[in-house]
Amino acid sequence: MTAHNNLEEYRDPINYDLEFGGETRKYQFYLEWAKASAGEALELACGTGLTTLPLAQAGIAMTGVDIASSMLAYARMKAGNLPVEFIEADARTFRSDKKFAMIYLTGNAFQAFLSDEDQAALFSTVYNHLEPGGRLIFETRNPAGTDLSDEGETIWGQFTDSDGNVVKVSGTQTYDAERSIMHWVTCRDWGDKRTESRIDCRFTTYAALTELLTGYGFRIEHQYADWDRTPFTPSSPLLISVCKKS
């Protein structure tokens, strides 16, 4: 991981939910696959439980793992008596005696694993904790369908914070082609203050990802371009992979 450890975006869990929550089609996508997998599910890099909790509310036995203690504290508060356990751990080194019918990462969390070693450790964790025939599901931005050019500060959007204020969101991007890593700086204008946070994401080509999955013991079942299950094409901005443990 990088010097700032990719955690600057996750210091304010309440406003994180307000900015990034509400992706109902995504939640439904993972719920449908959890039901089809017919067993307990594990979300790695679960954050505040934005996706974990809707599945638990639907009766899926859930475990959520994340490295950010502040995000997990908020997730536990929201969970109440739902059938979910939240564990503070690094997905690269997480160990449990449990085996899961489905393991997933969302929010493009796969791209936070910035080296070959990180990706290898992640896939080893997944393989070791899946039941025979269990599913790995995750999404990642497709470099062939993404503008990777450097950009100065541009407007990205806005959200309403926990105090009812409209927060304007903008940012910059700088791409390290040698390491296939995008450096994003997110700027938030809160009216009375302006904050910045940094995050790095690795872009893995379709061919390299396919080789990785096969090499670590996964068979690709389906690949989609969106949560409505539109078939993936080489120019799709998003790649959602549904894989089975071989």
Side-chain angles (χ1 to χ4, degrees):
M1 298 287 183
T2 60
H4 56 79
N5 206 31
N6 265 1
L7 296 180
E8 292 184 358
E9 273 287 274
Y10 312 120
R11 293 173 177 169
D12 185 352
I14 295 174
N15 284 312
Y16 179 91
D17 274 15
L18 292 171
E19 184 173 356
F20 297 108
E23 295 183 90
T24 53
R25 284 191 290 181
K26 178 170 77 172
Y27 308 153
Q28 184 63 30
F29 175 91
Y30 280 108
L31 175 58
E32 289 169 359
W33 278 111
K35 289 179 176 178
S37 299
E40 187 166 353
L42 166 66
E43 181 179 4
L44 296 173
C46 67
T48 63
L50 282 173
T51 310
T52 321
L53 294 176
L55 271 63
Q57 288 165 351
I60 305 296
M62 293 295 305
T63 298
V65 168
D66 200 277
I67 199 171
S69 58
S70 60
M71 301 285 274
L72 287 178
Y74 191 47
R76 292 187 183 106
M77 186 193 76
K78 293 190 297 178
N81 296 320
L82 290 172
V84 58
E85 178 184 13
F86 288 108
I87 300 170
E88 184 177 344
D90 188 323
R92 296 169 296 182
T93 56
F94 171 67
R95 298 292 181 269
S96 172
D97 294 332
K98 283 186 178 181
K99 300 287 185 181
F100 299 89
M102 183 177 98
I103 298 176
Y104 69 98
L105 301 87
T106 191
N108 297 308
F110 173 72
Q111 292 185 255
F113 297 85
L114 300 178
S115 67
D116 292 346
E117 293 77 16
D118 287 344
Q119 291 180 344
L122 170 67
F123 284 135
S124 293
T125 293
V126 173
Y127 190 89
N128 291 335
H129 290 85
L130 273 178
E131 297 173 351
R135 286 189 173 94
L136 162 65
I137 308 178
F138 66 102
E139 86 270 15
T140 182
R141 299 176 187 89
N142 174 28
T146 303
D147 181 3
L148 299 176
S149 59
D150 293 355
E151 291 183 358
E153 187 171 341
T154 57
I155 299 297
W156 289 350
Q158 64 182 38
F159 69 98
T160 302
D161 71 5
S162 56
D163 295 321
N165 301 311
V166 174
V167 181
K168 298 177 181 178
V169 183
S170 59
T172 67
Q173 67 177 43
T174 308
Y175 189 60
D176 181 343
E178 184 176 346
R179 299 173 62 213
S180 302
I181 291 177
M182 180 68 79
H183 306 283
W184 276 298
V185 178
T186 303
C187 309
R188 294 178 176 89
D189 184 350
W190 303 79
D192 61 342
K193 64 179 179 179
R194 177 182 163 96
T195 61
E196 291 187 356
S197 61
R198 298 176 297 279
I199 192 167
D200 295 340
C201 288
R202 188 182 194 191
F203 280 78
T204 304
T205 65
Y206 178 82
L209 185 59
T210 301
E211 184 177 347
L212 271 169
L213 288 167
T214 302
Y216 283 95
F218 299 99
R219 176 174 57 84
I220 298 171
E221 279 192 302
H222 306 281
Q223 290 184 312
Y224 304 114
D226 56 36
W227 305 116
D228 295 324
R229 305 195 186 198
T230 303
F232 174 78
T233 67
S235 61
S236 300
L238 189 68
L239 169 59
I240 306 167
S241 296
V242 179
C243 313
K244 267 200 170 184
K245 180 177 178 178
S246 300

